[in-house]
Amino acid sequence: MGSGGVRRSVVAVAALGSLLTVTAVTGCGGSPGDGPDAGAGGSGSTAGKAGRSTAPADPTRIPGVGDRLQQRIPGDSSQVVAVYGDGKDSADSTVVLYTKQGSAWHRARSWAAHNGKKGWTTDHHEDDNRSPVGVFTLTDAGGVLPDPDPAAGLPYTESGAFAAPRSWAESHWHDFDYVIAIDYNRVKGTPPNDPTRPEGSSKGGSIWLHMDHGSGTSACVSVSKSGMEYLLRTLDPDRHPVVVMGDRANLEA
């Protein structure tokens, strides 16, 4: 485990009803009733489409990412989770994990995924149902289920407080069994469901990587359970992981 990987264990001390109320406010974009993500969605993207380009690949760059965002990837980062959205208004995307060896990036794994049910935005606000475009660090994880590998990965908070409200559609009940906080409008080094929003509530928050339910989200990025388990075992604080996310046009700009 990396030097930043001190494990956290949170024991629920409130009744289940109270815990679920907290999650409804803070989970995946954070407003009560946001969970049932009806509307946009689908079966997900084909992973092979991610990062395609007609130009020769430059191994020192993340495929499909233009100068604007490429320059925002920290120089000490050697793990990048790239989220390639199918389109500005699409809920379908592909997640690809890249790892750096020397100066070259290598594609490690990829998964079909979903993002905000209304697509993407460069100016995310609360309840717009769009995922924010940008480069964000990944520092904290958690979920209802135990850490799949307590000896490795990001600091992890296990707590029933992550559970999705049972007022949501049953297909969403396991969304937050595993989550990785995307460091958008949050305090690093705190559990993913910490409600603090340094830029104010209007800018939204609680943007997570979490388990997929087969359609678009409120603003988060969702992948399969096996994908989340792999990321939780693999992302290493000492390798300074980041997520680069957006629709393909914004990523390539």
Side-chain angles (χ1 to χ4, degrees), residues 6-207:
V6 177
R7 320 310 289 177
R8 294 190 295 258
S9 179
V10 175
V11 178
V13 295
L16 180 60
S18 298
L19 295 175
L20 297 184
T21 300
V22 171
T23 304
V25 173
T26 61
C28 194
S31 289
D34 280 354
D37 299 313
S43 59
S45 306
T46 302
K49 290 192 286 186
R52 274 188 186 167
S53 173
T54 57
D58 180 349
T60 67
R61 297 171 63 91
I62 300 298
V65 178
D67 290 343
R68 179 175 61 88
L69 294 181
Q70 198 91 220
Q71 293 168 1
R72 291 176 56 188
I73 299 173
D76 60 358
S77 178
S78 59
Q79 291 180 322
V80 167
V81 177
V83 185
Y84 297 96
D86 278 8
K88 180 181 178 182
D89 300 320
S90 173
D92 296 333
S93 54
T94 301
V95 167
V96 182
L97 174 64
Y98 294 97
T99 61
K100 196 174 189 179
Q101 300 172 21
S103 62
W105 289 101
H106 300 271
R107 182 185 179 118
R109 293 284 183 93
S110 63
W111 303 270
H114 290 95
N115 50 265
K117 55 190 168 185
K118 290 188 177 180
W120 297 89
T121 179
T122 56
D123 186 23
H124 175 68
H125 285 80
E126 185 81 4
D127 298 329
D128 65 9
N129 292 314
R130 292 181 179 270
S131 297
V133 175
V135 177
F136 308 100
T137 53
L138 301 170
T139 56
D140 303 281
V144 176
L145 297 179
D147 189 343
D149 189 351
L154 302 172
Y156 189 96
T157 301
E158 177 188 347
S159 174
F162 286 97
R166 289 313 188 250
S167 60
W168 291 6
E170 187 173 351
S171 59
H172 296 71
W173 287 1
H174 296 284
D175 282 11
F176 311 138
D177 282 359
Y178 293 128
V179 307
I180 298 171
I182 293 171
D183 292 336
Y184 169 90
N185 198 17
R186 70 178 300 269
V187 178
K188 299 178 186 179
T190 63
N193 58 352
D194 184 319
T196 306
R197 297 181 178 180
E199 297 179 45
S201 59
S202 66
K203 292 293 290 181
S206 297
I207 309 297

Side-chain angles (χ1 to χ4, degrees), residues 1-6 155 236-238 240:
M1 181 177 69
S3 61
V6 177
D236 181 351
D238 285 345
H240 307 285

